[in-house]
Amino acid sequence: MKKGIIIILMGMLVGCSSQEIKKERLEQNKISYEEVKDTSENSFKEKYEKLSPVERISFYKQYGYPQDNFPKSREIEYLKAIKETRGKKEFFYSPNKKTFLEFYKDLTIRGYGDNSNYWRWTFSLSEKELTSLINRNLPLIADKRPREILTYSNGQWVRKKVGKDPIGTLKEIRVMERGKSGVIIKLMVKGSKGTYLIIKEQNVRGLLGGKYVNIYGSKGGVEKYTDKPISKGASSLPSAYFAIEKDKNVYKFYGGGYGHGVGMSQWGVYDLTNNFGYNYKEVLQRYYKGTKIIDKNKVPGLGDKIRVGIMTTGFKSLDHEKIVLTSTRHMIIHNKYINIETKNRDIVSFISKNGMINIYVNHKLKAKTRYPIKIECPKAMISVLSIKRHHRKFNYPTYRGDFEIRLSANNNHKLTLINEIDIERYLYQVLPSEMPEGFGLEALKVQAVAARTYALSDYKKNRYKNLGFHITDSTQSQVYNNLDENETSREAINATKGDILLYNNELVDAKYYSTSSGYGANADNIW
């Protein structure tokens, strides 16, 4: 869940929670609570699946290319495609590219979460601009994820190193595969120097982002795009739910939604709880089908505390050049070899030199150690002066719990900063970063259960074990302590204390995202 999403959500907030507005909207939309409940995949499955039971739509044959052999991910039963448009419109089942273009160009379509400016969006690029972006971005993506970029060679798709300016001059850009939700799974770009297949939605989004991409948006029912861009120079597209129309030497992009489209739509949650009478348990059942809510203490192997890897400014790296801490009360800095007690408001700096952690108090060297250091402040929170976030109440991010500082496992010239904190207190600083307070208490309860489940799912996976923590504070996990805490978020967390989601007695991977395009996606079409 991305930092950019969070900031956008704050800017796009629309207050609409009074009973009078709710009643008026229900009347205007002429849709009942039961009809809203009937818009999940299951309500359409029986009617349409017999006609055309496909989860993916292929365009390979239509464009005269062989199918690639890229493996498909396993299905996750509780993360299936969901319909977020209103009315009787079914999923996409036909390889008719005009159908997708018409859908994303249609500003009259209404759906759950269409209060967001990203319900529909558009931008245009000249052929020269698009060529430039692809030549710049394709090698970068191929370096990071080489398996997900294939080259067309001798009549087949193969894995090759992608060089500089790989396409030369752009000749064609075509969607080769979509999910039935409309999400682009595979995109082909053909140029004077080569033809490439870009696989997975995050790569598609990254391929087409850059300084020329100025995005205009539209809420549902407005029927026009914003006069000013809602995103300038977007480094990545809002989503991979889009279609392309070429007009002479101009490529026009029409799309919808923000995020990967799997699991829970946060703007959908806002709409359902504020305007359609849903409570948080009903929303969770709608987005995570077949799951049940249970207290985390009933699940073996889950502790009360979680360890969070804190990243540098801008969430650029887990490796810190220098870490600077302070607190309004005294701190205790210790391991089995050292024990330092500071005074109120002392400035403590940690720097790695020659394989040792050097500890300075008010710029005076106090100790050196090669072993992990624990920093505790029993009577106050600890501020990290060496990083910046987007807080308004404080100049620097301030944390509950304890800290641990150790030499980086990747580079012993750098340091790793870990915040060890009670899971409920951790959520106090997650929810404000992931959902605006103005979405209301019931929506925040939904987010609290999803965020708690998501964090503990990562806790059990222990994918950062070698680095000494369970999760990061960025979108690699979920964003933590990027914005100020608020009272409504704390109330939502306390009201759902310990609640998590299970499916077949296993923790749910509670994916969520900002805004739907009209359909949510199967998880196996995204990852």
Side-chain angles (χ1 to χ4, degrees), residues 239-290:
S239 78
Y241 299 78
F242 64 86
I244 308 168
E245 184 177 50
K246 187 178 181 184
D247 182 8
K248 297 181 180 178
N249 290 325
V250 175
Y251 290 83
K252 297 180 180 180
F253 293 77
Y254 298 93
Y258 198 115
H260 49 65
V262 176
M264 182 184 84
S265 158
Q266 291 168 308
W267 275 93
V269 172
Y270 165 79
D271 209 3
L272 291 166
T273 55
N274 284 279
N275 301 317
F276 293 97
Y278 264 51
N279 65 46
Y280 80 96
K281 292 182 179 179
E282 291 167 329
V283 173
L284 288 166
Q285 283 300 307
R286 185 175 194 274
Y287 286 113
Y288 307 109
K289 294 177 178 58

Side-chain angles (χ1 to χ4, degrees), residues 66 158 245 415 435 517:
V158 297
E245 184 177 50
L415 299 172
M435 180 176 278
S517 66

Side-chain angles (χ1 to χ4, degrees), residues 2 5 8 118 121-123 125 130 133 137 173 184 187 201-210 212-215 231 233-244 253-260:
K2 297 188 185 274
I5 297 175
I8 292 160
Y118 282 90
W121 47 263
T122 188
F123 68 94
L125 296 172
L130 183 54
L133 291 180
N137 294 331
I173 179 168
I184 297 174
L187 184 74
E201 64 91 34
Q202 67 168 335
N203 297 325
V204 170
R205 293 165 68 183
L207 178 77
L208 301 174
Y212 308 116
V213 181
N214 296 320
I215 296 170
S231 179
S235 60
S236 179
L237 297 194
S239 78
Y241 299 78
F242 64 86
I244 308 168
F253 293 77
Y254 298 93
Y258 198 115
H260 49 65

